[in-house]
Amino acid sequence: MEGLKFVLVFVLLAMASSPTFASDPSPLQDFCVAINETDGVFVNGKFCKDPKLVSEKDFFFPGLNIPRNISNPVGSTVTPVNVVQIPGLNTLGISLVRIDYAPYGGLNPPHTHPRATEVLFVMEGTLYVGFVTSNPENRLITKVLNPGDVFVFPVGLIHFQFNVGKANAVAFAGLSSQNPGVITIGNAVFGSEPPINPDVLTKAFQVDKSVVNFLQKQFWWDNN
């Protein structure tokens, strides 16, 4: 019986503590407005501004209602609002993006956020979205979204959005990190600097070396 009680207590503690690891660590003060200087308190990767010098500008970002230029090879543009744009987000474990998509074919290419789960809200247009689960299943989970729909991309999983409508599309997404990071798969694998040894990619993808050489010579557009 004592052993059973121990197991139950252990499980309850594990369940209670798990949310702690779901996003950035909780702040230890009201706020820690990020600064570029190094003569401050180092917290969560950014130094803190003296609280007495903080103003409303440190918590503000204008113009997210303005459509972005989507005339690029992938037909999409991501406008981030993270700790770089709003220093007041430092240590708060949250950020936001606006994504604009060109008519049919506008793509936010397969990518991951190594430090954040993403919650996507479609404001305009029709998007085909999805993510792929981890090995060994590599299961593809997809959905066609319309205005007002919400979809979740779990932290670290490869995901994408593709405009299947005849008009522009707009989506907003919240992310569970002040600095979620983004790794666009094609850019990282075939557009790295310096390039990955073609022999590695030839073996990994089981294709002819000429295919790898061709892909590495392409210009991999960064829509962020």
Side-chain angles (χ1 to χ4, degrees):
M1 182 62 70
E2 290 299 321
L4 178 59
K5 287 183 179 179
F6 174 80
V7 172
L8 289 174
V9 170
F10 178 81
V11 171
L12 289 173
L13 287 174
M15 292 175 65
S17 63
S18 60
T20 305
F21 303 98
S23 60
D24 295 344
S26 298
L28 303 177
Q29 60 282 315
D30 288 343
F31 48 76
C32 170
V33 173
I35 54 174
N36 293 324
E37 289 80 3
T38 57
D39 57 343
V41 180
F42 193 73
V43 180
N44 283 16
K46 296 289 184 179
F47 287 91
C48 300
K49 178 186 286 190
D50 184 338
K52 296 178 182 178
L53 302 178
V54 167
S55 73
E56 77 286 349
K57 294 180 181 178
D58 295 312
F59 302 91
F60 176 74
F61 178 85
L64 208 58
N65 62 313
I66 300 173
R68 266 49 183 184
N69 183 5
I70 47 180
S71 299
N72 58 60
V74 295
S76 73
T77 295
V78 178
T79 304
V81 184
N82 55 42
V83 68
V84 175
Q85 290 76 33
I86 301 183
L89 285 175
N90 191 38
T91 78
L92 297 185
I94 193 170
S95 58
L96 177 72
V97 297
R98 172 188 172 124
I99 314 170
D100 291 85
Y101 311 83
Y104 192 82
L107 172 68
N108 192 12
H111 63 281
T112 73
H113 300 293
R115 295 180 289 275
T117 290
E118 177 179 344
V119 181
L120 184 83
F121 167 74
V122 179
M123 176 167 283
E124 300 175 11
T126 303
L127 296 177
Y128 168 67
V129 308
F131 64 86
V132 179
T133 64
S134 57
N135 298 353
E137 289 83 6
N138 295 137
R139 180 184 172 199
L140 175 63
I141 297 176
T142 64
K143 179 73 174 175
V144 174
L145 305 181
N146 296 295
D149 290 345
V150 174
F151 197 82
V152 175
F153 303 109
V155 58
L157 297 187
I158 296 174
H159 60 282
F160 61 87
Q161 304 104 37
F162 184 69
N163 185 3
V164 294
K166 297 180 180 180
N168 289 3
V170 179
F172 291 86
L175 298 111
S176 60
S177 173
Q178 68 185 43
N179 183 23
V182 60
I183 302 172
T184 306
I185 307 306
N187 301 40
V189 174
F190 296 107
S192 66
E193 290 292 342
I196 297 174
N197 187 320
D199 293 335
V200 173
L201 299 180
T202 299
K203 186 76 170 182
F205 289 97
Q206 296 294 291
V207 296
D208 190 89
K209 193 172 183 178
S210 62
V211 175
V212 171
N213 290 334
F214 171 79
L215 290 172
Q216 288 187 319
K217 291 177 181 178
Q218 303 309 300
F219 177 73
W220 294 92
W221 182 267
D222 181 8
N223 67 336
N224 286 265

